[in-house]
Amino acid sequence: MTTFPPDGYQRVASTLPGIEVYAPVAEATEAEAAVVQFKCPRCQATTAYSAEEGGLRCAHCGYYEPPSTPAVGKRAQEFEFTVETVSAAREAAGWGTERRTLRCQSCGSETSLPPGRLTSTCPFCGSNQVLQQDAPDDHLRPRFLIPFAIDADRCRAIAREWLGSSWMTPKSLKTAAGVTELTGVYVPYWTFDARTSASWRAQVGHQVTDRTYDSSSKTWKTRTRTVWRWESGHVARVFDDLLVPGSDKLSSHLLRKIQDYDTQALVPYAPSYLAGLLAQAYDVPLESAWAVAREQMRDRTREACHGQASTSQVRNFSMSLDFSDESWRYVVAPAYVAAYRYGGQSYQVMVNGQTGAIAGQRPVDWTKVWLAVAAMVAPGLLLGLLGVLAAVLGTVMPPSLAVGGGVLLVALVLVIIGGVFAVMTLNKARGMDDV
Amino acid sequence: MSENDGSLSEVRALEAIGVVCEQCDWRYFAPGDGTIPDVSPSSVCPHCGSARLIPLDRDAADHLYSAPPELVVPFGVSEAKLAQQIATFASGIPYAPPDLTATALRHRLQRLYLPMWLVDVDVTTQWGAEVGFNYEVVSHQERYADGAGWRTAEVRETRVRWEPRVGTLERHYDNTAAPALETQAALQRVLGSFDLAGAEPYRPESLGRVLIRIPDRPPQAAWPDAAAALQERAARECQIAAEADHIRSYRWSPAYTDPAWTLLLLPVLAAAYLDDDGAPQRVLIHGQTGQVYGARRGSMKRAQRVSLITGLIALAIFAIGLVLALLSLLLPPLLVVGIAIALAAIPVGIGAIFPIARVWSYNRKQADVRMEV
């Protein structure tokens, strides 16, 4: 020990006289301004986060400020479910629900922020502002985020392409539908890691075929029966970065469809990533999200247990499951929420701001769909009519009776096949505007 | 409470003379005026149990550390427990030597104090360690059964969070114990540890006329053990000072000042019995718990005697059978009886080996019991 105390240590309380104790200085928590504004240092115009370049860009003079925090990916700090954190999370259930008034430091105007919003653009002077909101537990602030990698223009192109990618949509949709609102928003997510260790026991059915001789009929008879045997096993699974949406304001159906985020791109939270974009605070509390994640984990573990059984016939299944090494993170991930109008109706689209995965509602041209359905079942019906005709003719010309029967049989097969495809098409069409 | 710096030619305050065993050269303080306790002057050495103790010559006596002890752990085992322990020790031995009886052992019981060094010292150091803090996490256990669905139980687990700490230490440590005998560790291994919390301040009259083993390990030699014990105490105190639940990887670079050495006396009882060869076999008893340690050896001579007698009986039976078989030349029916009797001699003859084999086997197991103390 050359220098004492070493750099980065500070004296802390000691309970015994004659003994001094020094502990590492707690990681400096930056004194955060309540509101961070983004002004170009060159021209004082408003800067905004550029998804294309990954830093702040001034649209006025072209000034560029690179990102301050490098990606940490899966090394991003995770938190355990300590008793204190769980209690704080319970108390924090209402966090973000209060409406906050943001005073613009540029023009002095006041804007009322809706619940859960962390960012704002001043409607009077266009300044981008990020609200550094307080949380009852420091852990319950977003510490990491996945930055936008797709800019609004590319997102718009993706949306256009997607709109015209289905034959079921109106022909004019691709050109006529203007994506009226394309909002980049950081959506809150909880990520969970855990190990599951399960022991299971069940009766597994095995098909056994017996061959017996029936003396009365003097024939051999085959009988298949199920023999149930007890089996047991052990399954261990590791879950890494299981994502659960932290927002109940956005469609969970759409969020699930686009949430293939790559957590390798996680960066430490910095307000500059939020400049000019919307960001939501979580409104699904940690405990509820963890319950959802646990449900998914245990169901997948149960499936793995079932997979260990020697056949798929299982009954009296029971299992016990222990969770260990549980940890969580609160992150925000990029998404574009778009709305467009077509035929007087409003439709929603959501695009993954990192990968470009898209999900949403599309209007359906039901004329096209019904025509397609008709085309699918028509051959069978027409053939059926021909078959009936031939059968009727069979009363006067007996050979045509047999022909009519054959045609009817083929028509029946075609109707069934056409009907299946028709139902699938209708379901798909119905799902296109489902949210 | 007088303490000194540990030099061996120190104080002559302990009222005792040094005595030495003629045979094993073990040295004792015999308290009082030089008479050997109990059966003076023909008392046996508690170590080898056979030879006489004689006063140390003047040269040797001059180099003894004879400051009075600071603390004494009193004898705590009751007479009843002692009798029971000795009876248990003396029982169950196949063909035990005639001298190995509970009565004889009790009669020869001799009290003895074994020394341990105590060091008082001031320590100044910088230290570093990892300290652990317990914290609780909320986890879950789930049970599933067809029909019953999932049942979830919330469980709390204690985990340890390790953090680095450094610091300074300036403390005085009293009575850190270190072995004063080379065989201290072996002694504690076979007899068990002593409860030092029961130690009482030394009073000359409290020792009576009990022999005290003279340290064969000077303070200088005992110092590494004392330093290790001091480090352990310091680590524990640093853990308390840091309000931590655990400590590990403790490192320090201590400076010791004013070390003062005194003695702590540990109570044991010694007895002995003579084995087949007339050699004394020692028995040691923990003075607090009554734990007995010693080799329990069967008498091979007795076993051989029994085997010989049994062998002779077998031979006699066989001879009778043989005679009857010969007589069958005159009286044929005797042939069968003669053969039966001769055959009966075989198991008896084989049984004659049993006492020797049993004692041999038993003594082999006892060979592991070595008197290292």
Side-chain angles (χ1 to χ4, degrees), chain A residues 15 18 22 80-81 319 321 326, chain B residues 135 138-139 159 166 170 240:
Chain A
T15 58
Y22 293 82
E80 290 177 284
F81 287 89
M319 67 182 278
L321 185 156
E326 307 98 316
Chain B
Y135 65 97
V138 178
S139 187
R159 293 183 188 163
V166 296
E170 203 174 329
I240 294 166

Side-chain angles (χ1 to χ4, degrees), chain A residues 1 4-6 9 12-24 80-84 86 90 287 290 294 298-299 302 314-326, chain B residues 126-128 135-146 150-152 154 156-157 159 163-171 173 234 236-243 251-253:
Chain A
M1 295 178 206
F4 193 87
Y9 278 76
V12 293
S14 164
T15 58
L16 285 183
I19 298 181
E20 287 182 1
V21 183
Y22 293 82
E80 290 177 284
F81 287 89
T82 61
V83 173
E84 295 78 17
V86 172
R90 277 176 191 155
E287 223 176 359
W290 176 222
R294 273 204 324 274
R298 72 187 189 189
D299 286 345
R302 187 177 58 167
V314 172
R315 72 179 187 189
N316 292 328
F317 178 86
S318 65
M319 67 182 278
S320 61
L321 185 156
D322 281 351
F323 285 92
S324 60
D325 297 341
E326 307 98 316
Chain B
Q126 288 173 3
W127 61 274
Y135 65 97
E136 279 193 324
V137 293
V138 178
S139 187
H140 292 83
Q141 287 176 344
E142 311 258 356
R143 299 276 177 277
Y144 176 86
D146 279 347
W150 288 101
R151 273 186 299 128
T152 305
E154 188 179 290
R156 293 193 173 193
E157 291 171 3
R159 293 183 188 163
E163 294 178 7
R165 291 285 185 276
V166 296
T168 59
L169 179 145
E170 203 174 329
R171 301 270 291 172
Y173 289 100
R236 205 162 47 244
E237 288 193 346
C238 289
Q239 176 198 322
I240 294 166
E243 295 182 87
R251 57 199 184 278
W252 69 343
S253 45

Side-chain angles (χ1 to χ4, degrees), chain B:
Chain B
M1 195 181 295
S2 76
E3 289 169 350
N4 60 61
D5 65 3
S7 65
L8 293 182
S9 55
E10 259 304 325
V11 192
R12 287 282 177 277
L14 180 63
E15 287 189 12
I17 63 151
V19 294
V20 61
C21 172
E22 280 181 309
Q23 179 153 319
C24 68
D25 202 35
W26 275 39
R27 296 164 180 210
Y28 306 92
F29 284 123
D33 56 3
T35 54
I36 307 300
D38 301 327
V39 283
S40 152
S42 56
S43 176
V44 294
C45 166
H47 175 240
C48 64
S50 60
R52 293 174 53 171
L53 298 174
I54 56 166
L56 273 171
D57 63 49
R58 192 170 180 79
D59 274 358
D62 279 348
H63 288 86
L64 290 182
Y65 177 98
S66 54
E70 184 180 347
L71 294 171
V72 178
V73 178
F75 284 88
V77 60
S78 67
E79 284 298 324
K81 176 146 191 201
L82 204 55
Q84 184 202 335
Q85 293 283 85
I86 290 171
T88 307
F89 178 82
S91 63
I93 302 165
Y95 306 100
D99 200 38
L100 178 46
T101 63
T103 313
L105 287 175
R106 274 208 311 277
H107 182 69
R108 289 176 197 144
L109 271 183
Q110 207 175 344
R111 288 186 168 196
L112 172 70
Y113 280 113
L114 301 178
M116 253 191 120
W117 289 116
L118 292 177
V119 62
D120 301 347
V121 70
D122 290 322
V123 182
T124 309
T125 185
Q126 288 173 3
W127 61 274
E130 279 184 74
V131 293
F133 299 92
N134 289 345
Y135 65 97
E136 279 193 324
V137 293
V138 178
S139 187
H140 292 83
Q141 287 176 344
E142 311 258 356
R143 299 276 177 277
Y144 176 86
D146 279 347
W150 288 101
R151 273 186 299 128
T152 305
E154 188 179 290
V155 289
R156 293 193 173 193
E157 291 171 3
T158 301
R159 293 183 188 163
V160 180
R161 185 183 66 251
W162 293 98
E163 294 178 7
R165 291 285 185 276
V166 296
T168 59
L169 179 145
E170 203 174 329
R171 301 270 291 172
H172 176 79
Y173 289 100
D174 258 337
N175 295 338
T176 302
L181 298 171
E182 295 294 348
T183 53
Q184 197 97 40
L187 172 85
Q188 299 224 352
R189 199 164 50 245
V190 298
L191 284 185
S193 57
F194 288 84
D195 176 16
L196 303 187
E200 295 171 352
Y202 164 74
R203 283 175 292 111
E205 63 275 14
S206 67
L207 292 190
R209 300 177 66 78
V210 179
L211 289 175
I212 301 167
R213 176 90 193 272
I214 293 175
D216 59 7
R217 212 169 175 237
Q220 292 88 335
W223 176 245
D225 293 301
L230 280 167
Q231 182 172 354
E232 203 174 306
R233 285 179 73 175
R236 205 162 47 244
E237 288 193 346
C238 289
Q239 176 198 322
I240 294 166
E243 295 182 87
D245 301 301
H246 312 272
I247 193 162
R248 70 182 182 190
S249 306
Y250 186 83
R251 57 199 184 278
W252 69 343
S253 45
Y256 302 102
T257 47
D258 302 329
W261 295 83
T262 56
L263 282 178
L264 162 74
L265 302 182
L266 306 173
V268 292
L269 296 111
Y273 67 92
L274 297 176
D275 66 10
D276 263 0
D277 306 322
Q281 295 289 333
R282 280 188 308 129
V283 178
L284 280 177
I285 303 168
H286 194 295
Q288 285 180 302
T289 64
Q291 170 77 32
V292 184
Y293 180 77
R296 305 163 75 224
R297 299 182 66 80
S299 167
M300 188 54 86
K301 280 183 181 167
R302 278 186 66 188
Q304 283 168 347
R305 229 174 6 250
V306 173
S307 288
L308 185 67
I309 291 165
T310 314
L312 287 173
I313 290 169
L315 206 62
I317 293 168
F318 187 76
I320 291 166
L322 207 62
V323 169
L324 288 175
L326 286 173
L327 285 175
S328 69
L329 294 172
L330 303 173
L331 198 63
L334 284 177
L335 181 64
V336 177
V337 179
I339 290 171
I341 290 174
L343 285 176
I346 294 171
V348 178
I350 292 169
I353 303 164
F354 180 72
I356 297 172
R358 189 163 173 225
V359 171
W360 176 82
S361 162
Y362 186 82
N363 285 354
R364 257 175 72 88
K365 286 178 194 159
Q366 293 293 309
D368 294 339
V369 181
R370 287 183 300 168
M371 199 48 74
E372 298 164 307
V373 186

Side-chain angles (χ1 to χ4, degrees), chain A residues 10-185:
Chain A
Q10 66 180 4
R11 191 169 171 185
V12 293
S14 164
T15 58
L16 285 183
I19 298 181
E20 287 182 1
V21 183
Y22 293 82
V25 178
E27 209 172 283
T29 45
E30 285 173 31
E32 290 171 334
V35 177
V36 180
Q37 297 221 1
F38 295 93
K39 288 274 183 198
C40 173
R42 277 212 307 241
C43 68
Q44 296 301 306
T46 300
T47 54
Y49 179 75
S50 161
E52 205 177 345
E53 297 162 303
L56 285 174
R57 171 68 74 184
C58 173
H60 186 251
C61 69
Y63 169 79
Y64 176 70
E65 193 178 306
S68 55
T69 51
V72 290
K74 287 183 181 291
R75 287 180 290 115
Q77 189 186 2
E78 290 167 336
F79 299 96
E80 290 177 284
F81 287 89
T82 61
V83 173
E84 295 78 17
T85 306
V86 172
S87 305
R90 277 176 191 155
E91 288 163 16
W95 181 58
T97 55
E98 262 182 65
R99 204 169 174 87
R100 304 285 295 260
T101 301
L102 196 66
R103 185 181 170 82
C104 177
Q105 290 173 358
S106 289
C107 66
S109 65
E110 288 192 346
T111 313
S112 181
L113 274 190
R117 278 274 290 273
L118 301 177
T119 57
S120 170
T121 300
C122 176
F124 303 98
C125 69
S127 299
N128 288 330
Q129 299 168 80
V130 172
L131 183 68
Q132 307 269 65
Q133 199 155 357
D134 299 328
D137 186 307
D138 196 43
H139 298 159
L140 297 167
R141 297 175 36 200
R143 293 287 199 89
F144 301 95
L145 57 82
I146 298 170
F148 273 88
I150 292 173
D151 61 19
D153 288 341
R154 205 176 137 210
C155 178
R156 206 167 276 119
I158 290 170
R160 282 235 163 75
E161 195 184 324
W162 175 76
L163 285 171
S165 65
S166 173
W167 63 267
M168 294 185 199
T169 56
K171 200 174 176 185
S172 59
L173 179 65
K174 197 172 175 181
T175 48
V179 177
T180 53
E181 249 185 73
L182 190 67
T183 313
V185 56

